[in-house]
Amino acid sequence: MGIFGGKKEESSSLQDYSLMAADIHSHLIPGIDDGSPDMETSLEMLRQFESLGFKKIYTSPHVVADGYNNSTEKILKGRDAVRAQMAKHGINIEFDAVAEYYADNSMYEKIEKRDILTFGKNYVLIEFSYLQKQNVVLDIIYKLQLAQYRVVLAHPERYPYYHENDFKTYHSFKDRNVYFQINIGSLSGKYGKPAKQVAERLIDEKLVNFAGTDLHRLAQFESLKECLKLKHLEKLLTYDKLLNKTLV
């Protein structure tokens, strides 16, 4: 079989996301990137997370040198503002902030200064360009690991240039001890059929370490609820080596 399979999706028995327990990828700090626009929206999103069985949220605003160039200080200030409003409104889910770091040249200074937000056992979330391969990627991964960070690649299924050569690139990343975080929305076809099929195969081959919602907007919760019906999501959340639940 090639990189894409052709099986019909079965139905799952999941009722909520309590098996996942913690989410490591979302955009909930108001006004800081392309996620939640205001505090009211952020609070409602957190209520929705709580109602779906999540116990802890690590939100992860974009850090991109030529886009959302958010500093650690700005992210933590935003996190604390959300926490204060959560306490005021009686929202009890745990809330923390990390970042989704874009793999560009600005990473080198952050690594040198240890100016990187991490979660769990020194995990750091990074993302690549969707459009083309970047020459700095392997070197940045190496430098991060040399500095004792554990590299988590956000949504590997969404990089179309890795959909070729029958998964060799994915296995090469695993050989380099890179952790994979897939987007739950990929399993519903939100990012297209190729991303869905790659995400399913990553699950089937037990290459996934973390699941993430990558939620940016309140309306996306309807899709998140629909995903509970998907057999591949059940397979992922019942995988004994899924690391999300170790974060709570």
Side-chain angles (χ1 to χ4, degrees):
M1 184 185 295
I3 196 168
F4 302 128
K7 293 183 179 179
K8 184 178 180 181
E9 186 74 56
E10 300 174 29
S11 182
S12 95
S13 58
L14 293 172
Q15 300 299 313
D16 59 22
Y17 285 90
S18 55
L19 286 173
M20 183 170 158
D23 184 30
I24 65 163
H25 191 166
S26 65
H27 299 268
L28 302 184
I29 295 177
I32 204 170
D33 62 3
D34 57 345
S36 173
D38 52 54
M39 185 64 73
E40 183 180 356
T41 302
S42 299
L43 295 177
E44 184 55 34
M45 291 176 79
L46 285 160
R47 291 187 189 98
Q48 291 284 336
F49 272 118
E50 191 173 16
S51 71
L52 285 173
F54 287 93
K55 301 299 181 187
K56 187 167 188 174
I57 301 298
Y58 284 98
T59 201
S60 53
H62 291 290
V63 175
V64 188
D66 59 355
Y68 301 107
N69 196 11
N70 290 308
S71 66
T72 296
E73 181 183 17
K74 184 175 182 180
I75 292 170
L76 294 181
K77 183 178 179 181
R79 176 202 65 185
D80 292 346
V82 173
R83 282 178 171 175
Q85 289 301 310
M86 288 172 67
K88 183 177 178 180
H89 290 85
I91 301 171
N92 297 317
I93 193 170
E94 271 192 85
F95 182 72
D96 209 338
V98 286
E100 182 181 12
Y101 293 101
Y102 185 77
D104 57 26
N105 287 320
S106 69
M107 284 296 295
Y108 291 111
E109 183 178 0
K110 291 180 176 66
I111 295 167
E112 185 179 348
K113 293 182 176 180
R114 302 277 176 158
D115 183 22
I116 293 176
L117 290 166
T118 64
F119 62 96
K121 295 180 179 180
N122 223 30
Y123 299 112
V124 56
L125 187 68
I126 68 170
E127 68 170 338
F128 300 159
S129 167
Y130 294 120
L131 302 178
Q132 59 187 1
K133 292 181 182 179
Q134 299 162 262
N135 294 329
V136 296
V137 160
L138 293 182
D139 191 48
I140 286 173
I141 289 171
Y142 172 73
K143 293 292 198 306
L144 282 166
Q145 292 174 332
L146 198 63
Q148 303 301 309
Y149 293 105
R150 299 185 184 200
V151 178
V152 180
L153 177 57
H155 39 62
E157 74 279 6
R158 295 188 61 195
Y159 307 117
Y161 45 82
Y162 292 148
H163 293 178
E164 303 169 357
N165 70 23
D166 200 41
F167 257 51
K168 289 180 182 177
T169 303
Y170 291 109
H171 286 290
S172 72
F173 277 124
K174 300 307 290 186
D175 290 342
R176 293 173 185 269
N177 296 315
V178 174
Y179 296 77
F180 285 172
Q181 173 261 302
I182 66 165
N183 281 4
I184 290 170
S186 294
L187 298 174
S188 69
K190 174 182 176 181
Y191 307 104
K193 187 175 181 180
K196 171 181 169 65
Q197 292 173 322
V198 170
E200 289 175 348
R201 182 168 169 184
L202 287 169
I203 292 170
D204 289 340
E205 295 195 16
K206 298 184 177 181
L207 299 177
V208 181
N209 307 101
F210 292 98
T213 65
D214 199 3
L215 289 190
H216 286 65
R217 292 173 290 282
L218 189 55
Q220 292 175 320
F221 277 96
E222 287 307 310
S223 174
L224 196 61
K225 293 173 186 175
E226 285 296 310
C227 286
L228 288 168
K229 300 174 183 177
L230 302 177
K231 198 66 179 177
H232 267 90
L233 179 62
E234 183 178 45
K235 187 173 184 178
L236 176 61
L237 298 192
T238 54
Y239 177 44
D240 61 349
K241 293 184 180 179
L242 186 70
L243 294 172
N244 292 70
K245 50 199 167 191
T246 69
L247 302 173
V248 176

